[in-house]
Amino acid sequence: MFRATQELFVTPDGAVRGLYGQLIDADAIGDSAVVRASHVEPHPHGGWTADLSPSAGPVLGPFPLRSDALTAEANWLTRNLLTPPG
């Protein structure tokens, strides 16, 4: 499923975090840095996995479609890295 939205989260100190997307030009907000948080790769036995180890997370999948792995990846990153606790 294609993500037609792009969420940004603002921390109490004013830092803005979000998943990289092309809907919002990050440079228009100010200085930005892109950091790899995961990898979506083909699985050796078919399908696709979302490897979240760069973010100290699990490997999700395999999923039959790459788009399913991308959705799972985005959901995990949003829940575990971007959304404030509580």
Side-chain angles (χ1 to χ4, degrees):
M1 173 184 215
F2 173 72
R3 274 178 89 90
T5 63
Q6 186 172 346
E7 296 175 296
L8 297 177
F9 299 86
V10 181
T11 63
D13 65 357
V16 179
R17 297 178 71 186
L19 299 181
Y20 177 78
Q22 297 175 325
L23 294 176
I24 298 171
D25 178 8
D27 291 331
I29 297 170
D31 292 336
S32 64
V34 176
V35 178
R36 172 146 316 266
S38 58
H39 305 274
V40 172
E41 301 289 340
H43 188 271
H45 301 292
W48 295 83
T49 58
D51 179 356
L52 295 144
S53 62
S55 299
V59 175
L60 306 176
F63 298 94
L65 302 174
R66 183 174 182 270
S67 59
D68 293 340
L70 291 169
T71 297
E73 169 198 42
N75 289 339
W76 191 94
L77 290 169
T78 299
R79 275 192 327 271
N80 293 280
L81 293 184
L82 300 176
T83 306

